[in-house]
Amino acid sequence: MKNKHWDWKINTSFFFCSDWAAMDVWKNPLLVLCFILCFSLQTHLSLGGDTISGNQSLSGKQTIVSAGGNFVLGFIKRGNSSSSNHYLGIWYGKVFVQTEVWVANRNNPISDPSSAELKLLDGNLVLFNESRVIIWSTNLNSTISNSAIAVMNDTGNFVLRAASNESKILWQSFDHPTHTWLPGAKLGLDKKTNVTQLLTSWKNSDNPAEGLFSLEVDPNGTSQYFLLWNRTRQYWNSGTWNGQIFSLVPEMRLNYLYNFSYVSNDEESYFTYSMYDPRILSRVIVDISGQIKVLTWLTNNQEWFLFFSLPREQCEVYAYCGAFGVCSENSLSSCSCLNGFVVKSPNDWGMKDYSSGCKRRTLLRCENNASSNEAENKFWEFSSTALPDNSHEMYSESDAACKLACLNNCSCNAYAYSGGNCAIWTEALLNLQQADDGESSAHTIHIRLAASELLSKSNGKKIVIAGVVSSVGIILLLGLVFLEIWRKRGSVVNPEVVEGSLMAFTHKRLQIVTKNFSEKMGGGGFGSVFKGTLPDSSVIAVKKLESISQGEKQFRTEVRTIGTIQHVNLVRLRGFCSEGTKKLLVYDYMPNGSLDTHLFHGKEGSKILDWKTRFQIALGIARGLAYLHEKCRDCIIHCDIKPENILLDANFCPKVADFGLAKLVGRDFSRVLTTMRGTRGYLAPEWISGVAITTKVDVYSYGMMLFELISGKRNTEQSEDGKVRFFPTWAASKLDAGEDILTILDSKLEGNADAEEVRKICRVACWCIQDGEIHRPTMSQVVQILEGLLEVNKPPTPRTLQVYFDTPEDIVFFTELSTSQSSQVQSNVSTSSQAKSTTSAGDKS
Ligand SMILES: *[C@@H]1O[C@H](CO)[C@@H](O)[C@H](O)[C@H]1NC(C)=O
Ligand SMILES: *[C@@H]1O[C@H](CO)[C@@H](O)[C@H](O)[C@H]1NC(C)=O
Ligand SMILES: *[C@@H]1O[C@H](CO)[C@@H](O)[C@H](O)[C@H]1NC(C)=O
């Protein structure tokens, strides 16, 4: 390690040292562990290496290990110490987080493995439990009887074959997968028997028994996959294979690790995959969450890295929360119970198996007498994005008549009424999904509850509500007073002011001021932008929004919220137009256009931004984002930070544009992903891994943009000496090697920059693009660092950089060189002891 260029502060070197120390500590116990393991294997192993043959058998702690040591076959223990179950299974030999890839007797556990036995019997592999009962077998009508042997292969495939002929395979575990699909295995359809291979989730994290979710290729022979609930109901499909990706899985585009292929002939059709770099361990599983998860093992970090999960949202998994359970995307726990219901099996829920659902807290009392039922049963309104599909439908004159139909039926649990159609549910309610307030696709479903439930509930609520109402009332009153003042003020200046500080335009009027939308300035992910001039000769930018799914009321609410957000580094919203599907936003016009034109295109009229300006731009954007993230009443995540969305005013003061629009478009992540596909270089890994999106996605995109500010080129199209390289990776390695920082600077600047500032920006950028969001700084920390109030430590090289962007050859770099982040220090920035005065950093405008 060259380090002469680094003027390390104590904390810096501490950080670096801790990395190395951690590496040693990590490595050594592993070695020790390995010795112990090898040693213990040898003492237990009565069998020769990777094979079971002849009269040999496997029991207790005995294992067989594949030739290269990749996979181990033996008995697995699951459950707690008082009631533990044992299974014959295969797990990774070199992954020290116990990870099973196959289980033989998943539905028939063994209680005592020392008296259980796996052996060859008449050409079959059979597993006896402690009572000498066969609980699992390869079930072949074998013809070659005792000349068969069973071999554990290094691919994870456990094969029963003829002893004399390696290619005469009688049975293999790859043909009978459990919940894991390994590289090299097929997952498809046998056209002769019409049987598909199913990957089926575990029951819960501690029980390999067959769960409710499974993946199979379309049994009708098309090239797509289905996810099924309870083997029958399909809740997700991949779309058909187009030779490169499944049409509904754009995530695969970002993937340079996996080589997928599809084979279809008269006998079978299947998919299989391999790793471009076979040293990378990877697996595809159907998780207990009902999602497909694609994972790779990070050797240096000693953890499984989740590439992505499908479907992307938890609530898309059918009936995930069980009967009377409610799935909600935006809360801490995905599952909860309907009002008046309680968790049926807290143990299962504790192990993330929600399928048992909820039960009534108070049983319904019901007789065949409508009037007494009406007194004892009440209905509670629930707003769900999906209605359970097992309803009985009938015509009904009114809501009241529909309600009566439910009351008169003692097994009726709920009803929903809409325009003459009355639906009642007499079975358990499945697949309820909490709708957001005002969501346009929401359905109201009336849940039948014992009257006592509703009484006690509403009492409790009233007290809370009363408190909230009184304080809200005061705020509302103040708000109204202000609104009135605004309106009065505005109405003198402009008759169009109606909504707070915002002008409401008619479409006709915008057509006139933009000369019928003739001057197009650009088009973003959310719609095209046109230039216009108001009668008072102020220039405006009019954005025509596309694909707004929201209703009128909610649109106005959102727009009003955006309108209240004002900051020197945010583009001001001046007004809007909302007429049916015509939705437009009116902004201040920014004479210097967007940052990308100055950075990349060298367009006529654009100037080369000098380093001082670039630094001020970086700081300004950070301030604008910090304001959005932390200072607004509701935190706003921008979701689409890129140079195109940074506008520059006459003084090159940066203004963030398009904030708040992601919310307008709605929470349809797949759409967001599709609209942003063109700018994937700015997307944080969590966009495709399916975990919740936080403000840290903006921090990530901001970091990517900082690199472009330094280099003056797109990160993805950097090329020096004819080689294409991903700039952040390259810059990070330069930073790591301690080379002259100015060598990474935009050559157009001819070295005219403050090296200390370049280094600072580079470090900040590297911290911002850390894979784990908790390791990224907040935007206000970034502001403080750039203002010189916080010291920034030397960052580690983010590990997914290479995975996402580099060519397969470079993956070696990722596996071998990525720094040991296992010891990641939580606070990646530390308050400097020599913090400068807060007033030192002047705001440009
Ligand atoms: C080995 O088995 C394969 C597949 O069944 C067969 O095609 C091949 O002829 C066999 N080889 C010998 C030497 O028996
Ligand atoms: C799944 O389907 C089976 C019948 O195929 C049924 O008996 C069982 O109750 C179903 N499971 C759930 C959780 O509904
Ligand atoms: C139904 O219940 C009401 C009130 O409990 C009672 O007055 C009425 O007689 C009952 N009717 C029948 C048919 O049982």
Side-chain angles (χ1 to χ4, degrees), residues 724-739:
V724 177
R725 46 167 91 90
F726 186 57
F727 181 73
T729 316
W730 183 66
S733 67
K734 290 269 177 189
L735 192 67
D736 201 41
E739 286 183 32

Side-chain angles (χ1 to χ4, degrees), residues 367-373 375-376:
E367 298 139 39
N368 288 327
N369 179 337
S371 54
S372 67
N373 286 348
E376 291 189 7

Side-chain angles (χ1 to χ4, degrees), residues 80-104:
N80 53 29
S81 50
S82 63
S83 70
S84 58
N85 288 325
H86 299 261
Y87 303 88
L88 177 73
I90 299 171
W91 62 92
Y92 286 95
K94 293 174 179 169
V95 168
F96 292 94
V97 175
Q98 172 85 16
T99 309
E100 293 84 6
V101 298
W102 184 77
V103 179

Side-chain angles (χ1 to χ4, degrees), residues 179 201-202 213 235 285-293 314:
H179 78 309
S201 64
W202 284 28
F213 310 108
Y235 61 90
I285 63 167
V286 176
D287 190 60
I288 51 170
S289 69
Q291 292 166 305
I292 302 165
K293 292 194 170 167
Q314 182 62 70

Side-chain angles (χ1 to χ4, degrees), residues 397-668:
E397 244 160 37
S398 62
D399 188 281
C402 184
K403 179 175 167 183
L404 204 60
C406 184
L407 275 177
N408 278 334
N409 182 341
C410 281
S411 39
C412 176
N413 283 315
Y415 81 90
Y417 179 78
S418 163
N421 188 42
C422 172
I424 66 168
W425 285 267
T426 55
E427 288 152 44
L429 298 171
L430 288 174
N431 206 36
L432 291 169
Q433 293 168 36
Q434 182 78 57
D436 288 340
D437 285 344
E439 194 167 304
S440 54
S441 61
H443 304 272
T444 301
I445 178 164
H446 302 265
I447 313 288
R448 184 186 199 171
L449 294 175
S452 59
E453 276 296 331
L454 269 183
L455 287 178
S456 60
K457 255 275 164 359
S458 57
N459 277 348
K461 251 189 188 161
K462 260 178 203 151
I463 298 162
V464 183
I465 290 171
V468 175
V469 163
S470 60
S471 46
V472 166
I474 294 169
I475 295 168
L476 216 68
L477 208 71
L478 284 176
L480 280 178
V481 170
F482 275 111
L483 203 72
E484 212 39 47
I485 293 172
W486 266 110
R487 279 188 190 195
K488 288 233 172 79
R489 212 191 73 153
S491 60
V492 179
V493 182
N494 192 319
E496 284 164 321
V497 173
V498 285
E499 313 243 347
S501 58
L502 292 178
M503 292 184 267
F505 291 89
T506 59
H507 190 257
K508 186 102 199 126
R509 186 145 171 70
L510 288 181
Q511 232 169 348
I512 294 166
V513 301
T514 57
K515 300 189 192 117
N516 201 18
F517 303 104
S518 55
E519 248 184 284
K520 187 169 171 178
M521 299 194 294
F526 302 106
S528 307
V529 186
F530 302 89
K531 191 172 171 181
T533 314
L534 291 181
D536 67 358
S537 71
S538 58
V539 189
I540 51 168
V542 179
K543 187 172 200 96
K544 262 187 172 171
L545 294 174
E546 283 154 15
S547 60
I548 296 294
S549 57
Q550 282 174 338
E552 188 67 26
K553 199 168 138 217
Q554 205 191 354
F555 178 78
R556 280 177 187 258
T557 311
E558 290 298 339
V559 166
R560 222 174 295 144
T561 309
I562 299 174
T564 60
I565 299 167
Q566 294 188 18
H567 184 268
V568 66
N569 294 116
L570 299 175
V571 176
R572 188 162 71 106
L573 182 68
R574 302 199 38 179
F576 68 95
C577 161
S578 176
E579 288 175 11
T581 56
K582 291 183 189 124
K583 302 266 196 281
L584 299 96
L585 297 177
V586 178
Y587 290 100
D588 281 345
Y589 171 75
M590 292 293 135
N592 273 317
S594 56
L595 180 57
D596 60 315
T597 55
H598 298 276
L599 271 187
F600 312 132
H601 307 320
K603 248 209 307 223
E604 213 176 307
S606 70
K607 67 166 200 175
I608 293 167
L609 299 171
D610 62 29
W611 177 256
K612 274 277 158 292
T613 310
R614 291 188 199 198
F615 191 83
Q616 285 308 318
I617 288 174
L619 180 54
I621 301 167
R623 285 182 179 142
L625 285 176
Y627 186 82
L628 281 182
H629 289 174
E630 289 156 40
K631 307 281 163 49
C632 296
R633 200 157 43 100
D634 302 309
C635 150
I636 290 186
I637 307 176
H638 189 290
C639 295
D640 197 14
I641 289 294
K642 55 186 176 186
E644 286 78 356
N645 280 336
I646 307 300
L647 303 182
L648 300 170
D649 74 1
N651 301 315
F652 286 90
C653 170
K655 312 239 179 195
V656 178
D658 272 7
F659 55 86
L661 297 196
K663 202 170 173 202
L664 273 183
V665 172
R667 49 179 204 140
D668 183 350

